[in-house]
Amino acid sequence: MKLFLCEKPSQGNDIAKVLGAGTRANGCLFTADKQICVTWGIGHLVEQFQPEEYDPAFKRWSFETLPIIPSQWKLSPKKETKKQYNVVMSLIKKANSVIISTDADREGEMIARELLDIAGFKGQIFRLWLSALDDESIRKALSALKSGKETESLYYAGIGRSRSDWLIGMNFSRLFTLLAQQQGYQGSPLSVGRVQSPTLAMVVNRDREIANFIPKSHFVLITQLQTQQNQTFLAKYVVPENYLDADELCLNEPYIQQVNRDIQNIGTAIVKTVETKREKNVPPLLFALSDLQSECNRLFGMGAQQVLDIAQALYEKHKATTYPRTDCGYLPESQFKDAPKVLSTIIKVNSNWQKILPNLNVIQKSRAWNDKKITAHHGIIPTMGNVDLSVMNDDELKIYDLICRRYLAQFLPYFEVDKTLVQLQCGRHILQARGNLIIANGWKALFGNMKESEADDNQGIPSLSKNQNCQIILSEVKALKTTPPAHYTEGTLLSAMKNAARFVTDERLKQRLRETEGLGTEATRAGLIQGLIDKNFLKKKGKKILATEQANVLIDSLPDLLKNPGLTALWEQALNQIAEGSMTLADFMKKQENFIRMLMNNCLKQGINLGKIEIRKCPLCGKPMRKIQHTKGTFWGCSGYPECQHKEADKKSVSKAKKSSSANVTQQIANLRSLIK
């Protein structure tokens, strides 16, 4: 039997349709002769062991057990998908050959091969390499199957990512929580992660930048001019460089007031140059998930996870849009022939679009169709199926509408605008006027009030010619103040995660982050932000995302390597070397283990500062109290033990605490240091 192993049910259905596998069985589809079978995971069907599954001693968090580094890594089936796991494993054992048909990326390779490894599969392995799930793309890929060896290294890169993330998360979350508890901290665990920690640091740093921001007063000189035809426009005085600070602001009020008096006394300005350039703006690309999340947050105040859930419903429940968890805004060129059908569906389900039908150019092929830009999935677009808007709720309608608008925009004319720059001379002073004149709204007509706010120079400039005299009818010095950056919202935080290279100073690392699309993936960013909120590291105030005191404490205590996006860049660089075959998984993991030990030792020396977090003090010696878990109950003990043996019952504990059996904290730390040297 030939087994096609897919990543998700919808993917399996699409491939099965092309293969003619229409006989449905439990968790799979067969051809009539049962020689071909298509089955699927539901993402990952297995997960990493928890520490206590390796050794029951790891269930209790203590310094002595750190660092936890498995000698042999193990996986267990996820409880929620155990039924499908059993189906897939039984089919693998019956198969002669397996065609890996998961997403064409590192994670997709891992989803399939971890199951093949567990099953001990010894047959032939092939790879179906797909970037889109339309029939033509599937047929093309089926005719050009890769050998399993060609993509095997992607699996090792995926394993490296998974295991190293586990090592960081499990070890440093425990370490920093224990260090904090040593000082009396009793809050929720101080969770650390390769992606979540630099994300959290971005919010903490932004909050501090705003809190510490000192407004800077500066001055601009605005003039209003009039032509002989009584047409008016605004111009701004161009301050000489020697009167500007490093931020190109004029701080010298007496100087600019003197210029204002000069201009008023002269009363006229002569046009020196007039430059007008017509700009033709192409429509925005189709939505990738993070772009959709950011736009919905800006327009509707929707959270990132909320948008993902709605997009998933549009894809799975309503069959109205394509796969949402994509990082790509492009489409395969083979899908351009489907454009008339997609457009027909959009207009059929929503008669309001009838009015733009005459403006649509169905043979206009925008930049969105580009095979070279396709990743594992293409941009989110409307489907060609039967879509029923009446069964969608308001939020689903809003997001479906946005996705339709982006697609429709590809077939509308360019947005055209004439940008004019005018230089004028007033005595020895230079004035500058900028203006925009919209020539054709084109695709922007679709977005109306959805557009970002326009620039300040959106004025119409009258027809001017060189050496023309204009009268100055008004001039005014405006006192302005610089403003701090805005607090993050879910939308802007998603954008910052995707473009994390801007926070890295090393040019090589900046490039690596650009290539790997920053922090996290399209599928994980929303959940990561929500996770930070659930863990009490972030809080929402209206649309703002703010860091809690717990977040500030953790970020202040973490070494730079764990909170700098540059670490992700270094990590991805090494993982890419595994994928390319220039580094082995064993070498990578050895380096990771050494890194964990070295960094843990440094963190122990540095300790943790709890900042403004309130802690419980010992009434006898004033040292922090620690909550201690004992087989006979929970109690509070002085961290000065054994010198101070004060203890108190824990109100939440049913049994009364007896003498603490916890080892001396100082000795625990000494033991740990000896382990990781």
Side-chain angles (χ1 to χ4, degrees), residues 66-113:
L66 297 176
I68 301 171
I69 300 177
S71 57
Q72 183 177 357
W73 291 86
K74 297 181 180 180
L75 299 168
S76 59
K78 288 185 174 182
K79 291 179 182 178
E80 60 270 25
T81 54
K82 183 71 179 291
K83 182 179 178 181
Q84 185 63 17
Y85 168 82
N86 290 333
V87 168
V88 174
M89 294 302 285
S90 66
L91 290 169
I92 290 174
K93 290 173 182 177
K94 295 175 184 176
N96 299 317
S97 62
V98 171
I99 297 88
I100 296 173
S101 308
T102 49
D103 288 352
D105 56 20
R106 187 172 67 200
E107 208 66 20
E109 198 76 19
M110 185 179 171
I111 284 171
R113 288 189 184 261

Side-chain angles (χ1 to χ4, degrees), residues 443-479:
W443 58 265
K444 278 204 173 184
L446 280 174
F447 298 95
N449 294 330
M450 293 182 178
K451 296 179 292 185
E452 299 278 5
S453 60
E454 298 289 350
D456 293 337
D457 57 7
N458 197 29
Q459 65 170 331
I461 299 288
S463 178
L464 299 170
S465 57
K466 187 175 180 180
N467 297 325
Q468 180 177 343
N469 272 315
C470 296
Q471 184 180 358
I472 296 172
I473 58 175
L474 180 69
S475 68
E476 179 185 7
V477 173
K478 289 190 174 182

Side-chain angles (χ1 to χ4, degrees), residues 19 43 74 82 123 128 152 154 160 238 319 374 398 419 479 565 588 598 664 666:
L19 291 169
K74 297 181 180 180
K82 183 71 179 291
L128 181 66
E152 187 177 21
L154 285 175
V238 180
K319 313 294 183 187
I374 296 295
K398 287 177 181 176
K419 290 184 172 289
F588 174 77
M598 176 274 295
N664 186 306
T666 305

Side-chain angles (χ1 to χ4, degrees), residues 149-166:
K149 281 291 180 185
E150 284 186 71
T151 58
E152 187 177 21
S153 59
L154 285 175
Y155 171 43
Y156 299 130
I159 292 175
R161 193 277 310 156
S162 177
R163 292 177 180 176
S164 54
D165 279 358
W166 190 98

Side-chain angles (χ1 to χ4, degrees), residues 347-366:
I347 293 166
K348 179 181 176 182
V349 299
N350 187 347
S351 59
N352 291 331
W353 294 124
Q354 289 283 350
K355 60 182 179 291
I356 70 161
L357 191 55
N359 299 321
L360 295 176
N361 181 359
V362 294
I363 64 170
Q364 176 176 291
K365 193 173 184 180
S366 77

Side-chain angles (χ1 to χ4, degrees), residues 276-331:
T276 298
K277 293 182 179 179
R278 181 161 297 181
E279 287 190 359
K280 295 183 178 182
N281 297 290
V282 298
L285 291 171
L286 303 163
F287 280 117
L289 176 60
S290 59
D291 301 324
L292 181 63
Q293 289 166 321
S294 296
E295 189 72 348
C296 289
N297 182 257
R298 182 180 73 85
L299 292 172
F300 314 127
M302 293 181 183
Q305 188 62 48
Q306 180 187 6
V307 176
L308 175 55
D309 292 342
I310 294 169
Q312 198 71 24
L314 289 172
Y315 166 63
E316 291 183 348
K317 177 183 174 183
H318 299 294
K319 313 294 183 187
T321 57
T322 57
Y323 183 69
R325 297 169 187 257
T326 174
D327 62 352
C328 177
Y330 294 88
L331 292 174

